[in-house]
Every structure is written in structure tokens, then in C-alpha cells.
Amino acid sequence: MGFVDDTLLFDARARVLADLQARQAASPAAVSALEDAVSSRRWWAEQWPEGAVYVAGLVAQDVQDALLETEGRWPVCRSCGDAPQHALYIQPDLGGPDPVWVCEETGEPVAALGRLG
Ligand SMILES: [Zn+2]
């Protein structure tokens, strides 16, 4: 079994929580989805320690997928004025390194993960 640095998972959790709060999306269901994502990615990182740099972005993607099924799009793009509502996505798609939110429509970076507020 690999060694997983807890600070990595705390950091991933803190960054995704900050972005949920930045969009008033930190409902009990969203926080619970976040806890689930952190614990399943902890297991994943134990199997593949080299994947550590991807964890934060993957947790964000997991929460995004969970919310899409229950509460709708998160986070919504606020950079495109009158365009129909669309989401932000994590780039790189693999989840890291250095995950940023990009606009689905323009592909432009909007904020680093954890910096939506
Ligand atoms: Zn946009």
C-alpha cells in the first residue's frame, strides 16, 4: 500500500469547498458529495501514489458530476454575459497538475481551483 499525504486530501477538500461556497452551492448534499469524493480519491491515491497531482481536480470533477444529477450545474460560467447558461470545467481534463476552471464555451481559463470566489 502506498503512503498518501493527508495534506493533499485536506487541500483538495478545502479548495473544492471554497468554490462551492463562492457560488452559494455548499448545501448539505453538496458537502456530503464532497466527503464521498475525498474518501474515494483517497483510496485511489493509495493505489497509485503518482496520481497525487490529479487528486484535487478529480475531486472537483466528482462533485460536479454528483451535483449535476441532483442540484444542477456547478459552477456556472459568469464570464460570458448573455450566453445561455453553461458550466466551467476543470483543465487539464485528467485533474492536474495545477487544475483551473475553464469556460465550456470559450475554453478561456476563469480561475484556479479554489479561487472562484
Ligand atoms: Zn462562459
Side-chain angles (χ1 to χ4, degrees):
M1 290 297 275
F3 169 76
V4 177
D5 185 354
D6 271 342
T7 59
L8 188 85
L9 290 145
F10 285 132
D11 175 68
R13 184 185 182 283
R15 289 166 78 176
V16 176
L17 185 61
D19 285 350
L20 286 167
Q21 288 169 337
R23 296 303 176 84
Q24 288 77 48
S27 64
V31 172
S32 155
L34 173 58
E35 303 297 353
D36 289 350
V38 169
S39 68
S40 70
R41 292 301 174 181
R42 175 191 296 276
W43 180 87
W44 181 87
E46 282 168 359
Q47 314 309 306
W48 188 47
E50 293 79 14
V53 293
Y54 308 112
V55 164
L58 289 170
V59 168
Q61 289 171 335
D62 290 345
V63 172
Q64 182 170 48
D65 288 348
L67 291 187
L68 192 58
E69 287 173 15
T70 56
E71 313 205 7
R73 287 190 182 94
W74 167 83
V76 168
C77 181
R78 290 178 175 171
S79 304
C80 292
D82 294 333
Q85 191 190 77
H86 55 277
L88 303 176
Y89 281 95
I90 289 290
Q91 283 288 349
D93 207 32
L94 279 174
D98 302 323
V100 294
W101 291 111
V102 299
C103 168
E104 180 183 22
E105 295 291 321
T106 66
E108 293 291 325
V110 172
L113 179 61
R115 299 278 170 189
L116 273 185

